[in-house]
Amino acid sequence: MAKIPSFIALCNTTLWLDSATNLAIVDLNTFFLPSMFLASIGLGLLIKFTVNSLRKQTSVSASFPLPPGPSPWPILGSIPDLLRNKPSYRWILGLMKEMNTEIACIRLGNVHVIPVTSPDLAREFLNKQDTVFASRPKTMATEYLSRGFLTAVVTPWGDQWKKMRRVVSSEMVSHVRLRWLLEKRNEEANNLVFYLHNQCNKNSLCGGQVFNLRLLTRQFSGNVIRKMIFNKRYFGKGREDGGPGTEEIEHVDSAFEVLSYVYAFGIQDYLPYLRWLDLDGHEKIVSRAMGVVNKYHDPIIEERIRQWTDGTMKNKVPEDLLDVLISLKDEHGKPLLSTEEIKAQAGELILATVDNPANAVEWAMAEMINQPDILRKAAEEIDLVVGKSRWVQESDFAKLNYVKACAREALRLHPLAPFNVPHVSISDTVVAGYFIPKGSHVLLSRTGLGQNPRIWHEPLKFNPERHLMSKDGSGVADVDLNEQELRFISFSTGRRGCVGSQLGTAITIMLLARLIQGFDWSAPPGESVIDLSESANDLLLAKPLFAHGKPRLDLHIYPVE
């Protein structure tokens, strides 16, 4: 059978996909479906597409054009092109570069996807018109993640989102709550240097040890948020040396696997009628990974709810965020949250916390090891502000501008995800003279913004100093990881902005500062530099960062347990 590029052919009872998509041929005889049924599906799709298109022809759309983009196929839109060009985000940004545009419109199925690489346009979407773009798309992966859209981050606009947003912002990540949980974060910061120092002592003849910093950064983030929510570091027996156990590694690895498929341009998210086929295999992967995450979360949550219900916890002060969620009451004195809502929100906060700090610090360390002067300046700043007789604390962060600039530069140059969480328009509108239909998915490109040569001088160079000058050029800036002007995206802004930016900042800066303060870092023996190659399929380092660490403080400073 001749290959037909950019086309999906329904032939008898077999669904053939262009071999360039790397998707397997699906034999529909397996499902015992007659060809007439498949034909009826195709006809139904065509009718629905036609009706929806007619409905969207408003007076606004007649007056303003859509943003530029490729000519879409009937029904499918640009899905065939998307499937033939992996990874999808590189194809999208490459297409925008070819068209010389900072905003585009790519129709996938019946959805208009609007990628943006301009800070000015980004502010138009998230600041000036944030009420219009305040919803989220319903996708397969976010349905699993949120247990049916019960949470604060990925749930579409509506009463459930408003309820959970209030819970998270006022009860979980408020300034008062984070101050209450400070000691738990400090325990994990101390455990980090305790573990690293233990490992160095095992190899004392060599004066240090080679560490997998991807594993370390991810596990530190996981430890912090597990301690804050469940008041525990380990799901299993744990380790006396402070390192992660097999359960913790499986937990965090599964969390990252789920995150890699959230808003991953899955076929089922644009042609939901084909979800049952799981053509790209995403649902099988997400279902398995969320099953692992829930395997560790659910027993703890269910047991704690039982304790609060049967009186075991009577008159007891909440000790962690799980206690807080369970103890919340409505105006009638009844539990505010259902068991499913508690499970969903606890899980979402964990997934939302482990990714950015770990990725930013891994990349920052890789870049700084390759530029020893930057690493030296960061260590000198810590020594000047904190000294060498105690460990850096969150109260020191305000004075660690250079360290914060290093983290900020890593967030700019090396974001974890190519796009921010999509914003869905709840009505037709016009942005920069372009018609944006209701239901459009607006994607702010993290790399497109952070590496925009119109905005940044030498955008591909890791240069923390660029963040130290005030905007008016009159003096030194008070460095903050937030970027309100959307020249890059760290925590986003607007109605759907990240309410956990203070927590994200605390985890990121503490992780980076403790690594720099406690140890001298270099490339592993036998290697002169760190390979900074980017992964072929995502924005991670192509290989996990391995680096040689050696204690740089007096022995008595390091924790002994």
Side-chain angles (χ1 to χ4, degrees):
M1 176 178 176
K3 185 170 74 172
I4 307 175
S6 306
F7 183 71
I8 295 181
L10 293 174
C11 302
N12 296 324
T13 59
T14 303
L15 176 64
W16 298 85
L17 293 176
D18 182 347
S19 61
T21 66
N22 296 318
L23 298 180
I25 295 172
V26 180
D27 188 351
L28 294 182
N29 284 319
T30 305
F31 305 99
F32 305 103
L33 291 177
S35 56
M36 287 299 293
F37 180 61
L38 291 176
S40 67
I41 291 177
L43 180 60
L45 286 171
L46 180 60
I47 292 173
K48 182 174 180 62
F49 173 78
T50 303
V51 170
N52 287 343
S53 297
L54 290 173
R55 285 176 177 171
K56 289 184 177 181
Q57 290 180 358
T58 66
S59 58
V60 177
S61 65
S63 303
F64 298 92
L66 289 167
S71 299
W73 290 86
I75 301 177
L76 301 177
S78 293
I79 287 178
D81 300 307
L82 196 73
L83 295 175
R84 287 188 294 110
N85 295 276
K86 297 291 184 178
S88 302
Y89 72 90
R90 288 198 177 123
W91 172 71
I92 292 173
L93 294 179
L95 188 68
M96 296 177 71
K97 187 175 181 179
E98 288 179 12
M99 294 187 297
N100 192 29
T101 182
E102 292 184 325
I103 183 172
C105 178
I106 300 170
R107 187 165 63 75
L108 301 177
N110 203 33
V111 176
H112 294 88
V113 175
I114 314 293
V116 175
T117 61
S118 161
D120 296 330
L121 293 175
R123 291 192 293 271
E124 178 79 20
F125 283 108
L126 265 57
N127 293 343
K128 294 182 180 179
Q129 296 200 46
D130 67 322
T131 55
V132 176
F133 298 99
S135 195
R136 299 286 195 217
K138 288 188 174 183
T139 72
M140 176 276 298
T142 55
E143 182 179 350
Y144 275 96
L145 186 156
S146 63
R147 293 180 182 251
F149 304 104
L150 298 176
T151 58
V153 176
V154 301
T155 297
W157 176 269
D159 291 340
Q160 182 65 23
W161 168 73
K162 293 176 183 177
K163 171 185 176 181
M164 300 310 293
R165 171 87 170 191
R166 284 194 297 270
V167 167
V168 172
S169 60
S170 63
E171 302 294 343
M172 300 185 78
V173 295
S174 67
H175 179 72
V176 171
R177 192 67 74 196
L178 292 181
R179 188 172 56 197
W180 174 61
L181 294 167
L182 174 62
E183 187 53 38
K184 298 186 188 301
R185 296 194 298 280
N186 285 340
E187 288 174 12
E188 295 311 312
N190 292 336
N191 181 71
L192 171 69
V193 292
F194 167 69
Y195 171 70
L196 289 169
H197 192 246
N198 269 341
Q199 299 305 302
C200 288
N201 285 342
K202 290 181 180 179
N203 197 25
S204 58
L205 292 178
C206 297
Q209 182 68 277
V210 174
F211 294 98
N212 181 345
L213 285 183
R214 177 171 297 175
L215 176 66
L216 282 172
T217 56
R218 290 184 175 189
Q219 288 303 318
F220 174 78
S221 298
N223 286 353
V224 170
I225 196 61
R226 281 193 297 267
K227 183 64 70 70
M228 291 176 65
I229 293 181
F230 299 132
N231 199 24
K232 60 170 59 185
R233 177 181 306 141
Y234 295 111
F235 290 116
K237 294 181 179 179
R239 287 170 49 173
E240 291 185 0
D241 66 1
T246 55
E247 297 91 348
E248 291 70 46
I249 292 174
E250 183 184 42
H251 175 248
V252 172
D253 285 351
S254 296
F256 270 87
E257 190 165 33
V258 172
L259 291 168
S260 69
Y261 286 93
V262 173
Y263 308 118
F265 299 103
I267 299 172
Q268 70 286 332
D269 295 332
Y270 305 104
L271 299 175
Y273 321 96
L274 300 180
R275 175 173 169 175
W276 61 282
L277 290 171
D278 195 19
L279 292 172
D280 45 23
H282 288 189
E283 184 154 9
K284 181 180 180 180
I285 296 170
V286 172
S287 175
R288 186 206 64 79
M290 276 305 303
V292 172
V293 172
N294 294 335
K295 173 183 73 174
Y296 290 112
H297 294 184
D298 289 359
I300 298 172
I301 295 171
E302 290 166 3
E303 173 61 17
R304 192 80 65 83
I305 291 175
R306 185 194 65 76
Q307 292 173 352
W308 277 89
T309 302
D310 68 10
T312 306
M313 306 287 283
K314 187 176 181 180
N315 298 325
K316 186 174 182 181
V317 176
E319 295 183 353
D320 53 36
L321 291 178
L322 179 56
D323 284 344
V324 171
L325 291 175
I326 296 171
S327 62
L328 293 176
K329 304 296 182 183
D330 63 16
E331 62 271 21
H332 304 295
K334 302 293 184 181
L336 178 66
L337 303 178
S338 68
T339 298
E340 282 298 290
E341 287 174 323
I342 293 170
K343 289 179 177 179
Q345 193 53 67
E348 184 185 67
L349 184 58
I350 287 175
L351 266 65
T353 303
V354 297
D355 56 353
N356 270 330
N359 181 72
V361 172
E362 182 186 8
W363 270 110
M365 290 298 296
E367 292 275 12
M368 294 166 77
I369 289 170
N370 279 2
Q371 298 187 60
D373 283 347
I374 295 178
L375 192 55
R376 176 183 54 79
K377 288 179 182 179
E380 288 176 350
E381 180 183 64
I382 295 173
D383 291 344
L384 179 65
V385 172
V386 179
K388 293 186 176 183
S389 61
R390 68 174 179 87
W391 290 101
V392 63
Q393 303 295 325
E394 289 185 17
S395 57
D396 298 312
F397 290 176
K399 298 179 180 178
L400 295 178
N401 273 336
Y402 195 82
V403 174
K404 289 186 289 183
C406 292
R408 183 177 164 92
E409 180 71 343
L411 288 166
R412 177 197 71 82
L413 183 56
H414 301 295
L416 176 68
F419 297 104
N420 73 322
V421 181
H423 291 254
V424 175
S425 56
I426 60 178
S427 64
D428 292 344
T429 190
V430 174
V431 174
Y434 292 114
F435 172 59
I436 309 297
K438 177 182 178 180
S440 295
H441 295 186
V442 176
L443 305 179
L444 304 188
S445 170
R446 291 175 181 264
T447 51
L449 293 169
Q451 300 174 16
N452 190 326
R454 186 172 60 81
I455 306 301
W456 301 99
H457 176 64
E458 295 184 313
L460 300 183
K461 181 179 180 180
F462 185 84
N463 177 22
E465 276 82 2
R466 71 172 86 240
H467 303 288
L468 295 175
M469 186 62 67
S470 61
K471 292 177 183 178
D472 60 7
S474 61
V476 177
D478 182 12
V479 181
D480 187 348
L481 297 196
N482 281 298
E483 172 49 45
Q484 298 295 334
E485 307 240 342
L486 295 175
R487 296 177 300 162
F488 69 93
I489 295 177
S490 52
F491 302 109
S492 194
T493 61
R495 290 173 184 261
R496 299 304 292 249
C498 178
V499 296
S501 61
Q502 186 179 351
L503 174 59
T505 295
I507 295 174
T508 303
I509 301 304
M510 181 60 78
L511 175 55
L512 182 60
R514 287 286 180 106
L515 289 175
I516 296 171
Q517 181 187 22
F519 304 87
D520 288 319
W521 295 94
S522 60
E527 300 180 24
S528 58
V529 295
I530 301 295
D531 182 2
L532 297 178
S533 300
E534 200 174 84
S535 171
N537 298 314
D538 53 45
L539 298 176
L540 299 174
L541 271 169
K543 298 177 182 178
L545 173 59
F546 283 83
H548 183 268
K550 183 174 67 174
R552 65 181 292 269
L553 301 178
D554 292 340
L555 179 63
H556 72 275
I557 300 299
Y558 294 89
V560 295
E561 61 179 16

